[in-house]
Amino acid sequence: MPPSVPSLSRRVARTLRTSLFAQVSCALVLGIVVGKLWPDTATALQPLGDGFTRLIKTVISPLVFCVVVVGIAKAGDLKAFGRIGVKALIWFEIASTAALVIGLVAANVGGPGKGMNVDPSSLNTAAVDETTGGGHLPTTTEFVLNALPQSFVGAFAENELLQVLILACLVGAALLHLGHTKVPKILPAIEQAQEIVFAVVGFIMRLAPLAVFGAMAHLVGNYGLGVMRTYAKLIVLCYVAAALFVVLLAVALKAVTGLSLWKFLRYIREEMLLALGTASTESVMPRVMQKLRRAGARDDAVGLVLPTGYSFNLDGASLYLSIGTLFIAQAVGVDLSLGQQITVVLVLMLTSKGMAGIPGSAFLALSATASSLGAIPAGAVALLLGVDRIMDSMRVVTNLLGNCVAVFAVSRWEGALDTARAKRTLDGEDAPTPDDTGKGAGGTEDAPVPVGTGKGADAEAGIGAPVPGIPAQKTEDLKEPAPEAG
């Protein structure tokens, strides 16, 4: 007898039980419905999203530390790591500048604020102060000093990624200097800690649908859908400009690595949907690091480029800031000259680098830009209060894709990318299985990528299964440094 075909309801139930993408998609839709129908109740659901983000943040610092230390130690060459850092910064500056220019061109062509004729004195500037908490963007000197850790424990306790990166570089360099014969137990211990962190990520990710539901219900319940009609032209312009930038990212990725951004989007669809629902790229950072490593990017490149990009490569924020600056200028009837617009780009190139982790940083950057021009009332940034939260989806997607493309591009530039393996993975042909053995990124043996022990939804996205083709590496094999990459 032919095997019986499961009924539609059984197939749907199985998909919801095993697919994180399906779970998060349903949670997203339910959040919108609840926010629209019961806004008062929906606004009380924000702790679901905030709690999930807090849990994820607890593992980001130890994860970055472990990945970077292991990456440096196994690369066997601190100079190669330094080259990766320099190349990453060059890529970040080019990408963020391109985003700023695209934003300015889009705002000039689209004119989202023209015809509004807003009187700045009628705006509630106190709301901006409430959003920013009276904070300010750091100066260049403050930014550099804040990147230097004051204590080893403090960097982890305060979740300062740049400080953790510096500590990880120092520890990795110390391991290379001492050699594995003098401290034979340190590297295996860090690798084991890394496995524990990834297992914890697997457990936390089971709460992702609840987080998306709470965050989306709060957004719709608090702001409503009417704000989208009020600022329709600005919203559409920002998303169109972001789409154009993503197309440029796709072209750049194809030209540099031969990889398809659209296949990569399908590969990280669960993480992308979660980032959209929670309006946070930090919520998916551990999982994205894991998937980038599985897709052939070497540990040291992933461990340095992706976390650094969270502070230096805010492409979506750059797009929004340049469009937002011209929007408020047009809304209050100020016509900025070409020279003033060039000044906008130069100012935002600096202010956007200090935005990460600061409450209301977009408003602070816009206020600083308005003040530097002297032609736009600083209080006019209050015009964007109603629409800022709607822009989070655009910023999150663009920031995340920009940083992932940077990892692939810099890895390829440095010779730290297994392109053949990346293509197999993005094509779905390199699915991890427990018995696979072989070679790691770049054709060299590497330790297995540590993963969690979850099943179901987590197993589908890769958590709970070893990376294909990477056997465990013994400590004795690390006594001699590997050849310099690139």
Side-chain angles (χ1 to χ4, degrees), residues 203-348:
F203 299 148
I204 297 174
M205 287 302 295
R206 296 177 183 275
L207 303 174
L210 280 177
V212 170
F213 170 73
M216 189 54 60
H218 169 75
L219 170 63
V220 177
N222 194 37
Y223 295 96
L225 299 176
V227 69
M228 298 187 71
R229 291 191 295 269
T230 305
Y231 289 91
K233 191 174 183 179
L234 174 62
I235 294 171
V236 169
L237 184 65
C238 284
Y239 278 83
V240 168
L244 174 60
F245 183 77
V246 170
V247 170
L248 292 179
L249 285 178
V251 172
L253 181 64
K254 191 71 174 179
V256 175
T257 67
L259 302 178
S260 167
L261 184 63
W262 318 122
K263 291 181 179 180
F264 179 72
L265 269 171
R266 183 179 60 191
Y267 177 58
I268 62 164
R269 60 187 183 275
E270 294 94 350
E271 291 74 22
M272 186 62 70
L273 199 58
L274 175 58
L276 281 170
T278 59
S280 170
T281 53
E282 287 186 334
S283 64
V284 298
M285 182 178 175
R287 284 283 293 271
V288 171
M289 290 181 72
Q290 191 177 11
K291 285 198 167 183
L292 286 169
R293 296 164 71 205
R294 184 176 298 125
R298 207 169 63 195
D299 281 9
D300 51 349
V302 175
L304 180 62
V305 178
L306 191 66
T308 306
Y310 273 60
S311 294
F312 287 92
N313 194 41
L314 303 174
D315 297 329
S318 298
L319 270 171
Y320 173 63
L321 289 174
S322 55
I323 294 176
T325 300
L326 261 68
F327 168 75
I328 60 177
Q330 294 166 357
V332 298
V334 175
D335 186 18
L336 297 180
S337 64
L338 177 61
Q340 288 174 314
Q341 293 189 33
I342 293 174
T343 302
V344 167
V345 173
L346 296 176
V347 172
L348 290 176

Side-chain angles (χ1 to χ4, degrees), residues 57 59-65 68 146-147 155-156 158-168 282 285 289 303 306-311 356:
K57 285 183 177 181
V59 299
I60 288 178
S61 291
L63 174 63
V64 170
F65 179 81
V68 172
N146 290 339
F156 289 87
E158 297 173 8
N159 220 22
E160 295 287 349
L161 277 187
L162 290 180
Q163 295 183 13
V164 171
L165 270 175
I166 290 175
L167 289 173
E282 287 186 334
M285 182 178 175
M289 290 181 72
L306 191 66
T308 306
Y310 273 60
S311 294

